[in-house]
Amino acid sequence: MTQLWDFSGGVHPSENKHQSTGRPIRRAGIPERLVLPLQQHIGEPAEVIVEVGERVLKGQKIADVTTGMGVPVHASTSGVIEAIELRPVPHPSGMSDWCVVLKPDGEDQWCQLEPIGDYHKLDREAVLDLIREAGIAGMGGAGFPTDIKLRPPRDRKVETLILNGAECEPYITADDMTMREHAAEVVNGLKVMAWILRPSRCVVGIEDNKPEAIAAMRKAVQGTQIEIAVIPTKYPSGGEKQLVQILTGLEVPSGGIPADIGVMCQNVGTAMAVSRAVFEGKPLISRIVTVTGKAVREPGNFEILVGTPASYLLESGGLQKSQLNRLVLGGPMMGYTLTTDTIPLVKTSNCIIAATADELPAPPPEQPCIRCSQCAEACPMELLPQQLFWYSKASEFEKAEHLNLFDCIECGACSYVCPSSIPLVQYYRYAKDEIRKQRAEQLKSDHARERFEARQARLEREQQEKELRRKERAKAAAEAQAQKQTEAEQSVAQGEATDERAAKAALVQQALERKKAKAAQTAEPAPAAAPAVEQPDIETLEKQLMQAETKLSTMQGMLEEARAQQADNVEKLERAVAKNHDRVERAREALAEARGQMADNTSDASSE
C-alpha cells in the first residue's frame, strides 16, 4: 500500500459532483462558429499562418509560435476562416484578445494524420517535438506547454512522476469521467511521458470519492508498475504542491517547482491528449468539459471542440435561462464569474457552472477583520493570510512579497472560512498583478536606462574619436607648416627668394619703357639715327619663372599630403596652389614677351 502524508490546512466544501456523473460523456457536436484564441497557454501567443477565406481541414495547424515558449493552435473541424479579430476570451477581467473565427462546413474532414506505431524506436526529442506540434498544454488549468515541462533541467532528475486525478474542486467531474471511460488512453499517455522522463516511480493520485475511476484505473494499470494511490478527500489536495506532499512527503521549496525535488505532476486530460497525439496522430482539438448547476436540466460531461462558445455548450446541457443567476467558469473555489456566454471554451476550460440564486448566492458585504485566525488555519501553504490582506489592501506590496505572497495558490480556502466575508483571494490577486506591473515597469525603465547609457557612451566615444582625428590633423598641418617654413628658409639662404612685387614692378617698368619707345618712334618722321633700345632683363625673368615653378611644386606637394590626411587646411592650400599657378603663367608670359622683344630689337639692328 502506498504511504501517504498530509498537508497543513485545507477545507471540506460541499462536493456537488453527483449531478454531473449520472450520464456518460456526450459529444457536444459542431457549433455554427468556432472561436479559437491565439493564446490558450502560458507563454507567447501564437501567430496566424492562414488567411481569411482560406479553407482548412480538421487538425490543420492555423497558428504557431515561432519564437519563445508556446504551442500551435489547430482547426477543430474543417471549414473556412471567416475572420481574424478581437473577441472576448476566458479571463477574469473579461478582456478581448485576437482570435481566429472558423465557420465549419459540416464535413468534419480530417487532415492527413501520422500516428506512431512504436514510439520506442524514435528519439526522445522526436517524441517531444510531436507533443509540441500537437499543441498540447497542461489541461489542469495552468496551460504550461507540456513538451517544455517534460524537459526538466539536466541537473534535476525526475524520480517520481505523478498523474493528478484528485480533482478536488467542487462540481468538476471532467477528470473523473475521463478516467472512468478512457482509462486505457490515460495510462498509455502516462507510459509515453514515463518513457521520456525515466522516473523510478509512477503514481496516479485519486481522491477516495471517485470509486468508479479508481476501479477503472486499477484495471488499466494491471501488469505495469504504475501505482494507484487513493488519497483522502480534502480541498485542495489536487493542488500540485499539496499532491506532491501527500504522495512523497516532500515539500516544494518556496518559489520553486516540483522538479526541484525530483518530482513532476501531469494532469489526466494531458495524458489522454499525449496518447492521442502519439498513437493516433491527432492534435489537441477537443477536451472533456463539465456542464453543471441547478440552472441546467441535463448536467453532465461533454467532449467539446476547442473554440466552442459557452452558450452552445450550455444549450447542449439544457440551460434554463429563467433560473440562471450566475455563470462561473471553473469551480466555485478557484473559478470566476463570466460577464458573457459568448466566450469560447479553450484547452484549459474544464467546467462551466450555471448556478441559480440560492445555489451560489452573492457574497455578503465585506466586514472588518476580527483576527480570528481561521484563514491561517485553513491555508494549505502555511502563509499568513491576515497580514497579506493588510499589506495588499494598504498597497504595501514589498511587505506582502516579503511574506511569500507569490507562494499563494489562490485556492480560496481562506475566503471560504472567513467569517467577515472578506474576499481575500481578490486582494492577493490585485497585489500580485500590481507587483508584476511594477516589475514590468522597472524592467522597462532599466532597459531604457541601459539604452540611454549606451547612447551616451557611444556619443562620448565618437566625440573622443573626432577630437583625436582633429588633433592628428592639427599635428599634420603643423608639421607641414614647419616643413614649409624650413623650405622657405633654405630658399632664402640659397639666394633664390626674390620680392614678387619687385618683379612685377620691373615688368611694368619695362612695359612702360616699350610704350614710350614706340611713341617716340611714331612722333619722329625721319630720325637721323636709331636710338639705342634698352634690352629686357631675360636672366631676371627666367629666375622669377623658376622660383614661381618651385613654389608651385612645393604647394602642390603640401596639398596632396593634406588631402591624404584629411586636414582642415585643404581648401586653403587649394586656393594657394591656384594663385601660384597663375603666377607661373604670368611669369611665363612675361619671359616669352621679353624674348620676343629681344628678337625684334636684334632684327631691327641687323636691317640697319
Side-chain angles (χ1 to χ4, degrees):
M1 183 176 178
T2 303
Q3 182 179 357
L4 301 178
W5 287 262
D6 195 10
F7 62 91
S8 300
V11 293
H12 295 84
S14 300
E15 295 178 9
N16 292 314
K17 291 179 179 283
H18 64 279
Q19 294 97 319
S20 57
T21 56
R23 299 177 178 84
I25 298 173
R26 292 168 281 176
R27 292 188 179 274
I30 303 175
E32 293 183 0
R33 298 287 186 282
L34 288 166
V35 181
L36 299 162
L38 296 179
Q39 186 161 21
Q40 302 181 37
H41 53 266
I42 292 176
E44 298 296 323
E47 298 178 3
V48 179
I49 57 175
V50 292
E51 297 179 354
V52 175
E54 180 178 347
R55 184 177 185 269
V56 296
L57 300 177
K58 185 176 183 178
Q60 179 180 332
K61 189 189 298 184
I62 61 174
D64 200 359
V65 178
T66 55
T67 57
M69 181 176 67
V71 293
V73 178
H74 301 79
S76 302
T77 187
S78 59
V80 178
I81 303 299
E82 189 174 70
I84 301 171
E85 59 189 14
L86 290 170
R87 288 285 189 102
V89 295
H91 194 272
S93 66
M95 63 176 284
S96 295
D97 204 354
W98 287 101
C99 303
V100 177
V101 181
L102 174 63
K103 182 180 180 180
D105 57 14
E107 298 180 13
D108 206 31
Q109 181 183 356
W110 275 99
C111 64
Q112 184 176 355
L113 302 179
E114 297 180 359
I116 304 300
D118 186 2
Y119 62 88
H120 298 90
K121 296 180 180 179
L122 298 178
D123 183 81
R124 283 175 173 75
E125 284 297 323
V127 178
L128 286 168
D129 289 341
L130 187 151
I131 291 172
R132 181 202 176 279
E133 288 300 308
I136 301 176
M139 298 171 68
F144 196 87
T146 303
D147 68 297
I148 295 178
K149 193 171 183 178
L150 291 173
R151 285 187 174 97
R154 294 183 180 274
D155 59 341
R156 298 176 188 175
K157 176 71 171 65
V158 174
E159 297 294 341
T160 304
L161 175 59
I162 297 175
L163 196 63
N164 189 346
E167 197 171 45
C168 59
E169 179 98 2
Y171 283 92
I172 307 176
T173 58
D175 288 348
D176 183 2
M177 297 303 296
T178 298
M179 290 186 288
R180 292 190 197 186
E181 299 186 20
H182 300 281
E185 287 185 275
V186 172
V187 172
N188 286 337
L190 177 59
K191 289 179 179 178
V192 173
M193 292 187 286
W195 176 77
I196 293 172
L197 296 171
R198 295 293 180 90
S200 57
R201 180 191 181 201
C202 289
V203 57
V204 183
I206 309 174
E207 280 190 333
D208 57 11
N209 61 355
K210 304 174 180 62
E212 295 89 348
I214 294 169
M217 290 297 293
R218 279 179 172 164
K219 181 179 179 181
V221 300
Q222 286 181 357
T224 70
Q225 294 183 344
I226 299 174
E227 304 173 32
I228 302 297
V230 181
I231 64 177
T233 298
K234 178 183 177 182
Y235 181 83
S237 60
E240 184 178 59
K241 296 181 180 180
Q242 285 68 43
L243 187 59
V244 168
Q245 188 170 353
I246 291 171
L247 297 178
T248 66
L250 302 174
E251 290 189 29
V252 179
S254 176
I257 57 175
D260 295 336
I261 56 173
V263 183
M264 181 176 293
C265 284
Q266 295 286 354
N267 179 260
V268 166
T270 306
M272 186 170 74
V274 169
S275 174
R276 291 182 177 180
V278 174
F279 298 107
E280 301 178 39
K282 295 179 179 179
L284 178 54
I285 59 170
S286 65
R287 69 154 298 144
I288 309 300
V289 178
T290 301
V291 180
T292 186
K294 292 183 179 180
V296 291
R297 288 188 300 271
E298 299 179 358
N301 286 274
F302 292 82
E303 183 169 2
I304 60 109
L305 297 176
V306 173
T308 297
S311 56
Y312 178 85
L313 183 58
L314 289 167
E315 290 176 4
S316 301
L319 176 66
Q320 302 175 81
K321 293 184 178 180
S322 59
Q323 298 184 27
L324 178 64
N325 178 66
R326 186 177 172 194
L327 208 56
V328 177
L329 186 64
M333 299 295 287
M334 297 185 69
Y336 51 88
T337 301
L338 294 176
T339 57
T340 175
D341 61 0
T342 61
I343 59 106
L345 300 172
V346 296
K347 298 175 183 179
T348 56
S349 304
N350 57 2
C351 179
I352 184 166
I353 304 173
T356 58
D358 62 332
E359 186 177 16
L360 291 178
E366 176 182 337
Q367 301 294 324
C369 174
I370 61 174
R371 308 189 183 197
C372 64
S373 77
Q374 291 188 44
C375 55
E377 294 173 0
C379 179
M381 297 302 297
E382 298 185 85
L383 301 176
L384 299 173
Q386 184 179 358
Q387 283 84 347
L388 289 173
F389 160 64
W390 289 335
Y391 292 145
S392 299
K393 188 173 183 178
S395 298
E396 296 181 5
F397 303 127
E398 186 175 349
K399 293 181 179 179
E401 191 173 4
H402 183 69
L403 291 178
N404 301 317
L405 171 66
F406 281 91
D407 282 345
C408 171
I409 61 174
E410 301 178 16
C411 64
C414 54
S415 300
Y416 180 78
V417 300
C418 180
S420 297
S421 302
I422 302 174
L424 297 169
V425 173
Q426 278 81 346
Y427 282 104
Y428 305 154
R429 285 176 178 168
Y430 160 73
K432 288 180 180 180
D433 287 342
E434 289 300 313
I435 292 173
R436 291 190 187 101
K437 289 179 183 177
Q438 290 178 4
R439 287 178 178 174
E441 289 296 325
Q442 183 63 43
L443 186 62
K444 188 176 180 181
S445 176
D446 291 342
H447 287 168
R449 188 187 69 254
E450 289 172 3
R451 288 196 301 269
F452 175 76
E453 291 175 351
R455 181 176 181 274
Q456 290 299 108
R458 176 177 57 81
L459 292 176
E460 277 185 37
R461 187 173 62 253
E462 291 176 354
Q463 185 64 28
Q464 291 173 357
E465 292 173 353
K466 185 177 179 181
E467 183 66 19
L468 182 60
R469 289 196 299 269
R470 188 192 66 78
K471 290 181 179 179
E472 289 176 351
R473 290 196 299 268
K475 182 179 178 181
E479 290 175 353
Q481 184 67 23
Q483 183 179 359
K484 177 182 175 182
Q485 184 68 23
T486 302
E487 292 175 353
E489 291 174 354
Q490 290 175 353
S491 298
V492 171
Q494 296 173 1
E496 295 178 354
T498 303
D499 188 354
E500 186 179 351
R501 292 185 178 180
K504 288 183 178 180
L507 291 174
V508 172
Q509 185 62 34
Q510 291 174 8
L512 290 174
E513 293 295 336
R514 288 195 300 271
K515 187 174 182 181
K516 289 180 180 180
K518 288 182 180 180
Q521 290 176 1
T522 305
E524 297 180 0
V533 179
E534 183 181 353
Q535 297 294 331
D537 191 350
I538 300 297
E539 183 179 354
T540 300
L541 294 175
E542 287 177 346
K543 185 178 290 188
Q544 291 175 356
L545 175 60
M546 183 181 66
Q547 291 172 356
E549 289 176 341
T550 300
K551 189 170 183 180
L552 175 61
S553 177
T554 301
M555 298 301 293
Q556 286 178 335
M558 293 173 62
L559 175 60
E560 291 176 0
E561 184 178 355
R563 285 175 174 168
Q565 296 179 357
Q566 297 182 350
D568 294 334
N569 60 342
V570 172
E571 293 183 2
K572 184 176 180 180
L573 289 172
E574 287 176 346
R575 292 194 297 270
V577 167
K579 186 181 294 185
N580 279 277
H581 188 273
D582 293 340
R583 291 171 181 169
V584 169
E585 290 298 323
R586 289 196 298 271
R588 284 176 181 169
E589 291 176 0
L591 180 59
E593 185 177 352
R595 285 174 177 170
Q597 183 180 352
M598 180 176 286
D600 292 342
N601 293 340
T602 304
S603 177
D604 292 342
S606 299
S607 62
E608 293 177 356

